[in-house]
Amino acid sequence: MSNTSNAPEPPESDAPSIRTLAAYGSLAFPLAAAFIALQVIVPTFYAQALGLSLSAVGAILLAARLWDLFTDPIVGYLSDRTPPQLGRRKSWVVLSAPLVAASVWMLFNPPTSVGNQFLLLATLAIYVAGTMSIVPMNAWGAELSDSYHQRSRVSGSRVVFGLAGTMVALLLVDNSNNETLSKSLYAISILALLGLAVTVPIAAWLVPDKGVVTQQNDELRGALRLLTKPSLFRRLLAAFFLNGLGNAIPATLFLLYVTQVLEEPAIAGSMLFLYFICSAVSVPLWLRASKRTSKHLAWSVAVVGSCCFFAGTPFLGSGDVFAYGVIVVGTGLMIGADLALPNAINGDLIEWDAYENGQRRPGLFFALWGTASKLAYALAVGMIFPVLDAIGFDATSTQNLPEDIRILAILYAAPSLLFKGIAIALMWNFPLDEAEHARIRKLLAERESSVDSTP
């Protein structure tokens, strides 16, 4: 596809109002609070405080995430086929809310004595409930506007509220000891439940749900073809997955890194809070940069910057809190692009799909998107925890050998830099920019006009 067209973006008559953006974006607040705890705290808590082996925790979280390979496409498929008079997307978000609440409570407040089976059942529950909410929610946002830049606004609103939920949750984190970590999970579960009770009814009331999809009987086979043959969607999905894996590995190892490498467990909450504050500040800056260049180029530049900062982490040691803080600030300022721009690019591929394949499948697109995101975090735990277990690293001890702690520091950064480097290579010259998206929309409008005028 050519990206040299100078076709102007069609008028933005479908620009969502501030009220709509706020109501829609607020849905991300409780989900982000819950899932930051799931990604960063739960793996270490179940290994460190409850005594499950690192290999078992890694295998269980990976197995539970692999189930999403089945549930995500199914939810996306069913969401696309939900009768619009019921609210094609909002009905799923509303019905999933109590399931998310129940699964969060179960996983974050386990009995004092639990085994591998409990962790497996609890993580399966929260992943399935999360899929039922997040996949339709993302498709819902993409359908609020067809505009290249308005989609960035919608994505940005979701990111801002998500970061707010993340930061409030992190204010509740105390990693001083196992008891305080358990209380942190309890407090975050209360925050998530209250957030769901407030945001879901508001969004269901105020946010329109009028997206258009095609009804194709072979949609699942079509999705398989999207993944098995070269396409813009497969290229974007691969870059998103690899970059997500690059983010997930240090997130998974974060608590172990500050405890074992820096030997400063008490800074965990403040460092995470600083990281996400910087992310929130940077989101509007990256949205502005994407308007001056393109979404894919702005994202690529941000990932390069993130790698430059993060390359210093293997060389830190006990007490290097200031140096680590500089890295946290730098990577946080870069991560705002990660959070807002890839999702908006995926939304732009809805029109590409309609033009190239004659189908509009936002539910399925964002189902596969969600699968890639969640699989990245599962693989991070599933790959890294068994490696630490194999070298004899003990998550329950502060007396690990210096060489084992150095391996932890290397694992914290090196795989992340590799995966992000490949993602940059995939996205640097991505051919769907504003001009190309406008050209596709214009051609789609002409095609639909000719169909409507046919006697």
Side-chain angles (χ1 to χ4, degrees):
M1 270 189 267
S2 169
N3 64 349
T4 60
S5 169
N6 292 317
E9 181 80 354
E12 297 184 352
S13 58
D14 61 345
S17 67
I18 296 296
R19 186 178 76 165
T20 298
L21 288 175
Y24 169 73
S26 69
L27 291 170
F29 182 96
L31 295 173
F35 277 87
I36 189 63
L38 174 60
Q39 293 163 0
V40 176
I41 301 175
V42 165
T44 299
F45 177 74
Y46 273 78
Q48 177 179 288
L50 300 182
L52 276 65
S53 76
L54 288 168
S55 293
V57 172
I60 288 168
L61 292 178
L62 176 58
R65 275 302 195 197
L66 290 176
W67 185 242
D68 283 337
L69 294 175
F70 302 97
T71 58
D72 279 19
I74 290 172
V75 169
Y77 179 87
L78 294 175
S79 172
D80 279 345
R81 278 157 175 71
T82 300
Q85 59 268 29
L86 298 179
R88 180 173 281 123
R89 313 301 179 191
K90 71 173 61 178
S91 60
W92 283 86
V93 172
V94 170
L95 292 175
S96 67
L99 301 179
V100 173
S103 58
V104 164
W105 185 263
M106 178 171 64
L107 182 63
F108 290 8
N109 300 277
T112 53
S113 178
V114 299
N116 296 339
Q117 185 178 16
F118 178 89
L119 178 59
L120 177 61
L121 292 175
T123 50
L124 280 173
I126 197 169
Y127 288 155
V128 172
T131 292
M132 293 174 62
S133 177
I134 294 171
V135 168
M137 184 184 75
N138 285 338
W140 193 2
E143 292 169 331
L144 292 178
S145 174
D146 290 340
S147 165
Y148 183 83
H149 291 305
Q150 290 302 322
R151 281 216 175 99
S152 296
R153 289 182 68 226
V154 174
S155 180
S157 71
R158 186 172 59 241
V159 168
V160 168
F161 277 96
L163 287 171
T166 296
M167 289 186 290
V168 173
L170 293 176
L171 287 174
L172 303 174
V173 175
D174 185 347
N175 189 40
S176 301
N177 54 58
N178 292 338
E179 183 179 355
T180 58
L181 201 58
S182 176
K183 291 179 179 178
S184 299
L185 283 173
Y186 171 80
I188 293 171
S189 64
I190 295 295
L191 174 67
L193 268 60
L194 290 176
L196 288 167
V198 172
T199 63
V200 171
I202 291 174
W205 177 37
L206 295 178
V207 182
D209 184 4
K210 300 177 181 178
V212 177
V213 301
T214 56
Q215 302 294 327
Q216 300 286 339
N217 293 328
D218 67 340
E219 187 170 349
L220 292 176
R221 288 193 295 271
L224 183 61
R225 288 194 293 271
L226 280 175
L227 298 179
T228 55
K229 71 175 185 178
S231 70
L232 291 190
F233 178 74
R234 191 177 77 169
R235 181 172 164 181
L236 174 64
L237 190 68
F240 175 71
F241 170 74
L242 291 168
N243 184 68
L245 190 55
N247 290 333
I249 290 173
T252 298
L253 294 178
F254 171 75
L255 291 180
L256 292 177
Y257 182 87
V258 297
T259 300
Q260 303 277 351
V261 178
L262 301 182
E263 297 183 358
E264 296 283 352
I267 70 169
S270 59
M271 283 295 176
L272 283 173
F273 187 79
L274 177 63
Y275 175 79
F276 285 107
I277 277 284
C278 293
S279 302
V281 169
S282 72
V283 168
L285 301 178
W286 287 113
L287 292 178
R288 185 177 302 173
S290 73
K291 293 188 73 171
R292 290 181 175 272
T293 56
S294 63
K295 296 175 191 176
H296 68 272
L297 186 57
W299 181 33
S300 299
V301 170
V303 178
V304 170
S306 179
C307 290
C308 291
F309 280 105
F310 204 64
T313 54
F315 305 102
L316 302 185
S318 177
D320 288 336
V321 175
F322 178 77
Y324 186 63
V326 172
I327 293 172
V328 166
V329 169
T331 53
L333 290 172
M334 299 299 111
I335 209 71
D338 268 3
L339 297 173
L341 298 180
N343 214 62
I345 299 171
N346 191 39
D348 295 333
L349 290 180
I350 294 172
E351 284 75 40
W352 165 84
D353 189 36
Y355 178 63
E356 291 289 329
N357 303 310
Q359 297 190 61
R360 287 182 177 267
R361 302 172 284 185
L364 199 57
F365 265 44
F366 281 98
L368 296 172
W369 192 255
T371 298
S373 176
K374 290 181 283 189
L375 185 59
Y377 276 93
L379 282 175
V381 181
M383 291 189 306
I384 299 299
F385 272 23
V387 171
L388 291 175
D389 220 7
I391 65 173
F393 186 90
D394 186 356
T396 65
S397 172
T398 57
Q399 303 298 320
N400 287 289
L401 296 175
E403 52 267 33
D404 293 343
I405 294 176
R406 187 50 46 199
I407 291 175
L408 169 63
I410 293 170
L411 289 173
Y412 184 68
S416 175
L417 297 175
L418 172 63
F419 294 131
K420 283 178 171 287
I422 301 172
I424 293 165
L426 286 169
M427 291 306 298
W428 192 266
N429 293 312
F430 194 71
L432 185 63
D433 59 7
E434 181 182 5
E436 177 64 6
H437 184 257
R439 186 183 75 87
I440 290 173
R441 287 183 63 192
K442 181 179 179 181
L443 292 173
L444 280 173
E446 291 173 353
R447 180 192 295 174
E448 291 168 0
S449 177
S450 64
V451 170
D452 291 341
S453 63
T454 302

